[in-house]
Amino acid sequence: MKTGRLKQILLLTDGCSNHGEDPAAVAALARSQGITVNVIGVLDDRQNSRPQGLDEVEAIAEAGGGISQIVYQKSLSQTVQMVTKQAMTQTIQGIVNKELQEILGKNQSLEELPPEQRGEVVEVVDELGESSALEVLVLVDVSASMHHKLPTVKDALFDLSLSLNARSGSNDFSVYTFPDPKHTILQMVDWTPELGAVNRLFSKLNSGGYTPTGPALREALYAFAAKSAPSHLEDGEDPYEETGW
Amino acid sequence: MKKQAGNFSPGHQVLGRWNKHPYIIMEKLGSGACGTVYKCRSTRGETYALKMGTDSSRMMLEVNMLKKFSKVQGEKLGPSFVDVDDYRMSGGHQLPFYVMEYIEGKPLPQFLAGKSKEWVGICAAQIMGDIAKLHEAGYVFGDLKTDNLLVSDSRVRLIDVGGVTAAGRAIKEYTEFYDRGYWGMGSRKAEPSYDLFAITMIMLETAGAGRFERGSSPRKTLEQKLAAAPVLKPYRTIIQNGWKGKYKDASEMEKDMAGVLLYKTPSSTRVHFRADQKKKTTDSGELTAITLLSVLLMGGSLITFFL
Ligand SMILES: Nc1ncnc2c1ncn2[C@@H]1O[C@H](COP(=O)(O)OP(=O)(O)O)[C@@H](O)[C@H]1O
Ligand SMILES: [Mg+2]
């Protein structure tokens, strides 16, 4: 069994969008293109009430077939890697469930199998999670309220790379920020197998007073599409792949 | 929408959908990331531990591991496996659960409270001994931490096999304080050395440092905490070797621990056993030495005899 390459957009934000189209609608669009959208809402460590705008976080992830989580800065690292891995498992499970239905008939999902057989299926899902190729486009909200959280975000992305690179499957990461006055989103890191020392990350910051989450997601979608355009070889073995930096 | 794992009060009956075995909840034992564990009683009056979760896949993976490791090479590592099933709640949705051996025991820090200081080393060596069997079988424990240990009859037992990972794969589950990746001390690949790092953190924690923050230079923080723990003085080199990844697996580290506990010098640096060293030990010292030997070499079956 093969899953192909698993594609995810990981959105890190701390508030609601206030500009442009509905982000949940774009997330639904992404989902239809086989791209899962996960959203993490980042709270200040001292913040003790859940800000209203973060309801949107759930709506976007739900529409994008992904997972949402609202966390304090201090648990950001662990959450980012967990959400990414859980979303992978969820996607794989969806694929496996579909196959199960083909074999066992409609309405046959994993939960409906007796424990013995379920035990065998989860091993298959687990194995696929370990070996599947994964592409993650990280989209970071760098509007003013996020600025002081960016060092933590940087740590979390490094940590994400550490977790995923322990797998035997290949990884591809890229990092974009928004808002960008010219192109809505700005590429920080081009596709790379490791988010190592991303020192220049978040160096050129723009603090417009608006958060165009919807348009940013749409641009991220296009960036993904550009990646899988035919200029890249099928299995990701890009002969021009830069190494060593 | 996240499903709730439910909170069952004593007397509540959990009936398995598939196997039809009923279990009566006695009390809540604890809960973690994956679910809630209850002490329960079967209709035949046996006491078990019942783990109820929400994520069916995760629970099944745990069950698979439990089945595999309740017997590794004839010796029990985790709790033994009893039953796996689903519980249908009145509202309609179903919760996966499994039943295992109930381990009557104390959390490690509580067990160590008031004990003489060598117990920190003895317990660490016991953990290494158990983990060594796992390593030999080609697996890594993964989420090794005090929460996942219980001391029963002066013997440390591993519970919660949810993090056990085949060697070479990505670590399934971890807790930052015990995770070498978090400390910048290595990858999150399931390698024996991953567990050894976690054991050194258990040693630091139980030797009085508790769980601490990594600070701006994690490695320095570790060295400082180690230097500040007099209890760990005899094992300092061993711990540092563990950090440097000098041990191939837990059995190598255990050997060095045994060397220190028995002869006050790591076995790798010991050339000959000197008879005069033995003469110096007092009667009670000898008893301790024999007890230690039994723990370290025979898996602890004799220790209850001496205590
Ligand atoms: N077999 C058992 N016997 C006795 N107590 C147990 C047993 N298994 C778990 N517990 C208790 O329940 C707590 C949570 O169990 P654990 O399996 O670690 O859950 P989680 O995977 O959610 O961390 C443990 O810390 C321990 O106190
Ligand atoms: Mg646990």
Side-chain angles (χ1 to χ4, degrees), chain B residues 98-140:
Chain B
Y98 65 84
V99 182
M100 63 191 139
E101 172 193 2
Y102 169 68
I103 295 171
E104 172 99 67
K106 269 193 196 152
L108 183 59
Q110 205 178 314
F111 170 80
L112 288 172
K115 287 259 187 319
S116 60
K117 64 182 194 320
E118 63 261 46
W119 277 98
V120 169
I122 295 169
C123 290
Q126 287 181 356
I127 300 169
M128 289 170 202
D130 279 357
I131 295 292
K133 290 172 205 150
L134 206 60
H135 289 173
E136 209 178 307
Y139 288 85
V140 168

Side-chain angles (χ1 to χ4, degrees), chain B residues 29 32-35 37 49 51 100-103 147-148 150 159-160:
Chain B
L29 292 171
C34 180
V37 181
K51 186 165 183 171
M100 63 191 139
E101 172 193 2
Y102 169 68
I103 295 171
D147 298 346
N148 287 340
L150 279 177
I159 54 166
D160 194 3

Side-chain angles (χ1 to χ4, degrees), chain A residues 93 118 123 127 159 163, chain B residues 57 64 86 169 174 188:
Chain A
Q93 218 150 62
R118 201 185 305 163
E123 290 296 329
E127 177 57 42
D159 192 87
S163 273
Chain B
S57 310
N64 289 348
D86 295 316
R169 285 174 152 234
Y174 65 86
R188 281 195 190 121

